[in-house]
């Protein structure tokens, strides 16, 4: 799924310009939408890429465009830089395509886990929207597209999970869930901020939309989680014993032995 991974070398730094962020624990400064980040270089690269967490920009290390940046830069706008092209239109198109690429990632994951024709057709339909013209993209009803895709993702989840245990949308902020068998649980949209999942088994757990910011995943088994994304993993804490799906990368900021705050 390389086309669904951010390729900064072929993007015009769109996430660093088009999107806003507010000064917080995740960002050291406030930036308005459409204003270049003060750390953005002339070649669209980040001037502090290797020091983002140390400089107070941990939010940047969590963000993932799912390949939307290069799609908008090189395909939708045919390689025309926002500095010389349709600046505002490009900035408006980017978040739409980012949502579509996220849906493509989920569909690709569903196809990998449980391939069938309905998923193939849905993937082709959504992908076609991402290569349309800017005006066509801006006219899309993304909520409607997302709803159709969600039906297919739910079916996939229900086929693959062996438990009906539902924690969908649950408030589990700071919950003590260490050493638990949470296999096949439905954590869709659950708030697991700061939760202690140390050494827990999350095999086949559905993680779509689960908020894992600051969650302790030390020693946890997420190797067969359903729909676990790189941004979710990047937002959590883990260690060398944390088991991840082969499709995801162990974050560089994870320690050998994650500790509770």
């Amino acid at each position: 799924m390389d086309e669904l991974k951010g390729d900064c070398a072929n993007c015009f730094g769109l996430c660093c310009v088009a999107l806003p962020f507010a000064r917080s624990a995740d960002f050291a400064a406030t930036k308005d939408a459409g204003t270049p980040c003060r750390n953005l270089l002339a070649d669209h690269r980040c001037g502090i890429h290797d020091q983002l967490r140390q400089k107070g920009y941990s939010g940047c290390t969590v963000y993932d465009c799912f390949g939307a940046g290069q799609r908008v830069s090189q395909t939708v706008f045919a390689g025309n830089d926002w500095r010389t092209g349709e600046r505002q239109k490009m900035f408006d198109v980017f978040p739409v395509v980012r949502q579509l690429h996220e849906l493509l990632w989920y569909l690709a994951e569903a196809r990998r886990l449980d391939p069938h024709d309905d998923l193939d057709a849905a993937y082709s339909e959504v992908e076609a929207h991402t290569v349309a013209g800017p005006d066509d993209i801006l006219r899309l009803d993304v909520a409607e597209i997302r709803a159709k895709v969600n039906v297919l993702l739910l079916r996939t989840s229900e086929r693959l999970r062996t438990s009906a245990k539902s924690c969908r949308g649950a408030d589990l902020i700071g919950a003590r869930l260490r050493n638990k068998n949470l296999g096949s649980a439905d954590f869709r949209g659950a708030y697991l901020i700061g939760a202690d999942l140390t050494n827990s088994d999350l095999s086949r757990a559905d993680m779509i939309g689960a908020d894992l910011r600051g969650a302790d995943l030390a020693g946890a088994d997420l190797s067969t989680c359903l729909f676990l994304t790189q941004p979710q993993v990047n937002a959590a804490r883990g260690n060398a014993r944390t088991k991840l799906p082969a499709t995801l990368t162990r974050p560089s900021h994870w320690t050998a032995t994650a500790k509770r705050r």
Side-chain angles (χ1 to χ4, degrees), residues 143-164:
E144 180 179 351
I145 296 170
R146 185 179 294 277
K148 291 179 180 178
V149 169
N150 192 48
V151 170
L152 297 176
L153 299 181
L154 279 169
R155 289 177 187 169
T156 299
S157 176
E158 290 167 358
R159 277 196 292 267
L160 295 175
R161 290 186 297 110
T162 58
S163 168

Side-chain angles (χ1 to χ4, degrees), residues 167-178 182 185-197 200 202 205-217 222 225 228 232 235-237 260:
C167 297
R168 186 178 298 188
D171 182 353
L172 297 170
I173 296 175
R176 295 182 62 81
L177 299 171
R178 59 167 55 208
L182 302 170
D186 183 356
F187 284 107
R188 281 178 164 239
Y191 296 95
L192 288 159
I193 302 168
D196 183 2
L197 293 158
S200 289
L202 289 102
D206 188 336
M207 303 301 289
I208 284 185
D211 193 336
L212 293 172
R213 284 178 294 169
D216 193 340
L217 305 178
L222 298 95
C225 272
L228 181 69
Q232 286 173 301
R237 294 178 293 125
R260 299 297 294 165

Side-chain angles (χ1 to χ4, degrees), residues 1-7 64-71 97-111 123 126-127 130 229-231 247-248:
M1 297 193 292
D2 287 345
E3 71 276 10
L4 300 178
K5 295 180 181 179
D7 179 5
D64 191 335
C65 74
F66 294 98
Q70 64 262 29
R71 178 79 83 179
V97 175
R98 195 271 181 193
Q99 292 181 71
L100 296 175
H101 267 243
E102 183 179 20
L103 292 178
L104 286 176
W105 188 93
Y106 283 127
L107 286 168
E109 182 71 354
R111 293 164 81 190
Y123 189 97
V126 176
E127 185 177 40
T130 70
T229 68
Q230 191 68 52
T247 54
L248 301 184

